């Protein structure tokens, strides 16, 4: 792990990955809900599904980069004044977010792999993406497809809930507690005060 020289803000790479993934998840939630709940023309629906799959796989691949960053860098410390129960909640919430960033795209990938319609996934209209090997060879795909749809939809609702709580907590830090927790994840140039080295806890 890289030494903690000035652990008062995230690195540019971490900030770019964070906001790219936030944008991707917001787009996936909106597109996912639109394609499953609106009455759209078949061609529009096909294009939305392909876009949803493309962004979903991009978020999945970005999750590996994010994890690699996290395993090789120490994130900034949480404010010393923060109660330990809140620190534990923040750490737990971040762990859950990481878990969903991997698990949810896998359920989506499983879903298209067991689809009875068997429509190929072509990322952004150019890059063919394979189905999951064992699942795509199932003899009777219909029950697996029904299960995968359920798991993916409820998983998506849980992730949307987690992201909402995560964003609300960041806004509470910024507007109510008035500390630097949100600012250190923003690409602003003004330097932030260096955190106390005595604080052991951290956030992501
Ligand atoms: C973080 C990643 C993802 C999020 C947040 C997400 C979100 C969603 C949401 C909100 C829905 C609508 C659920 C409903 O109300 O029925 C949905 C549906 C769907 N998603 Fe995802 N998704 C993600 C990744 C993926 C991936 C990687 C794939 C495939 C490669 C995928 C394939 C699908 C498909 C095929 C549906 C339609 C299910 C149906 O027809 O009922 N998703 N997704």
């Amino acid at each position: 792990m890289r030494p903690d020289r000035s652990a008062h803000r995230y690195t540019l790479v971490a900030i770019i990955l964070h906001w790219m993934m936030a944008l991707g998840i917001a787009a996936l939630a909106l597109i996912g809900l639109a394609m499953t709940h609106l009455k759209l023309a078949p061609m529009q629906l096909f294009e939305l599904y392909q876009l949803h799959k493309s962004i979903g796989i991009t978020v999945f691949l970005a999750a590996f980069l994010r994890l690699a960053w996290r395993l090789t860098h120490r994130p900034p410390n949480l404010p010393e004044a923060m109660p330990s129960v809140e620190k534990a909640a923040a750490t737990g919430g971040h762990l859950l977010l990481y878990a969903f960033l991997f698990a949810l795209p896998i359920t989506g990938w499983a879903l298209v792999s067991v689809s009875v319609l068997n429509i190929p996934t072509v990322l952004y209209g150019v890059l063919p993406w394979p189905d999951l090997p064992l699942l795509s060879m199932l003899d009777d795909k219909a029950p697996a497809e029904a299960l995968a749809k359920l798991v993916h939809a409820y998983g998506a609702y849980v992730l949307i809930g987690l992201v909402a709580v995560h964003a609300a907590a960041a806004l509470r830090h910024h507007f109510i507690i008035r500390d630097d927790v949100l600012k250190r994840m923003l690409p602003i140039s003004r330097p932030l005060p260096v955190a106390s080295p005595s604080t052991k806890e951290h956030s992501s």
Side-chain angles (χ1 to χ4, degrees):
M1 193 173 293
R2 199 171 275 191
D4 182 25
R5 281 196 215 96
S6 60
H8 56 288
R9 66 154 58 251
Y10 284 91
T11 64
L12 189 61
V13 169
I15 292 174
I16 290 172
L17 280 172
H18 177 272
W19 292 109
M20 245 186 64
M21 293 179 85
L23 204 67
I25 291 168
L28 284 165
L30 290 176
I31 297 169
L33 291 172
M35 69 196 201
T36 49
H37 297 278
L38 297 183
K39 294 221 175 310
L40 300 167
M43 200 54 207
Q44 269 179 324
L45 206 55
F46 172 80
E47 278 167 10
L48 276 189
Y49 267 76
Q50 289 295 341
L51 183 61
H52 183 86
K53 293 190 283 182
S54 302
I55 300 175
I57 295 295
T58 308
V59 166
F60 183 48
L61 298 177
F64 286 93
L65 294 180
R66 187 87 201 273
L67 184 65
W69 182 91
R70 182 61 186 80
L71 294 176
T72 51
H73 295 73
R74 182 172 165 184
N77 297 323
L78 284 172
E80 263 181 279
M82 199 169 155
S84 44
V85 63
E86 283 186 24
K87 286 180 179 172
T91 306
H94 296 156
L95 279 173
L96 269 177
L97 280 169
Y98 272 107
F100 270 82
L101 288 176
F102 286 100
L104 192 62
I106 291 174
T107 64
W109 190 6
L111 168 53
V112 295
S113 306
V114 293
S115 167
V116 291
L117 295 178
N118 213 10
I119 297 173
T121 299
V122 183
L123 303 184
Y124 303 104
V126 286
L127 189 67
W129 182 263
D131 284 339
L132 279 167
L134 290 178
L135 292 182
S136 58
M137 291 188 293
L138 284 180
D139 284 335
D140 185 9
K141 289 181 171 178
E145 183 179 11
L147 178 66
K149 269 188 188 179
L150 209 68
V151 174
H152 187 67
Y154 282 106
Y157 301 150
V158 173
L159 177 62
I160 292 167
L162 280 173
V163 170
V165 171
H166 176 73
L171 293 174
R172 174 175 169 263
H173 275 281
H174 191 71
F175 291 108
I176 299 174
I177 305 173
R178 292 176 178 275
D179 59 22
D180 284 330
V181 166
L182 174 61
K183 272 191 218 147
R184 62 203 197 160
M185 190 48 108
L186 297 177
I188 48 171
S189 52
R190 193 165 54 83
L192 298 171
V194 178
S196 159
S198 64
T199 315
K200 292 278 181 274
E201 298 290 336
H202 51 258
S203 75
S204 62

